[in-house]
Amino acid sequence: MAGNKQLDLVHQNAIHVEMIRKEQRYQKLHTEFSINPHRKLHILADKPMASVVWNKISSFPANFIDAFHEGRQEPTKKYKTPQTESQEVGWISTPLIPSNRSDSRLNFNRISSDVTKHQESALQRGIK
């Protein structure tokens, strides 16, 4: 095992310095911040007895309002394809056939009979 030698402190420090130089080479300083469009914005309600009403939406900048509405959209409107495997289930939510309420093969409506009418009247009177 000639390749697995113990590194002394000098070599470990040299490796650490080289790793830090590589990390600093690719770092960027960000000075402009904006809203993350992929997170929901939580707006907290005021206290119940507060006298100030905060419904002045015109006081917010236009790009904030646009980012807020864009962040609140459902995933099918935000993205062209599902972002996770869980989103693949139900991504295409349009029905395969048009809905027809009169078709008895696909609609199982509640039907009242003598037994169900008796039970409903008993429940209304409080008898079990």
Side-chain angles (χ1 to χ4, degrees):
M1 295 204 168
N4 292 339
K5 293 183 180 178
Q6 285 282 5
L7 297 176
D8 58 351
L9 290 175
V10 175
H11 287 106
Q12 287 178 353
N13 190 31
I15 291 171
H16 186 67
V17 167
E18 182 182 354
M19 184 176 67
I20 290 174
R21 279 192 194 133
K22 286 180 180 179
E23 287 177 357
Q24 287 179 344
R25 190 180 323 154
Y26 295 107
Q27 281 183 345
K28 291 182 181 178
L29 181 63
H30 295 283
T31 57
E32 294 182 13
F33 299 100
S34 62
I35 299 170
N36 184 355
H38 304 294
R39 292 196 69 177
K40 285 188 177 180
L41 298 175
H42 299 287
I43 296 188
L44 300 175
D46 286 336
K47 294 180 181 179
M49 300 301 289
S51 62
V52 179
V53 179
W54 294 102
N55 61 0
K56 299 176 184 174
I57 199 162
S58 62
S59 64
F60 291 110
N63 59 355
F64 175 81
I65 296 170
D66 293 340
F68 176 78
H69 289 301
E70 187 177 321
R72 301 279 297 176
Q73 287 180 342
E74 53 266 14
T76 53
K77 291 183 180 175
K78 277 195 233 179
Y79 311 111
K80 293 180 181 177
T81 58
Q83 301 297 304
T84 62
E85 288 186 12
S86 297
Q87 286 180 345
E88 289 178 4
V89 177
W91 187 262
I92 302 172
S93 60
T94 55
L96 297 176
I97 58 173
S99 177
N100 185 1
R101 301 290 286 169
S102 63
D103 189 3
S104 62
R105 296 175 297 168
L106 302 174
N107 295 302
F108 305 102
N109 299 327
R110 291 179 56 185
I111 299 173
S112 296
S113 66
D114 293 337
V115 176
T116 57
K117 288 178 185 176
H118 173 69
Q119 184 64 27
E120 285 178 7
S121 65
L123 288 173
Q124 288 175 355
R125 288 183 282 157
I127 301 172
K128 291 184 180 181

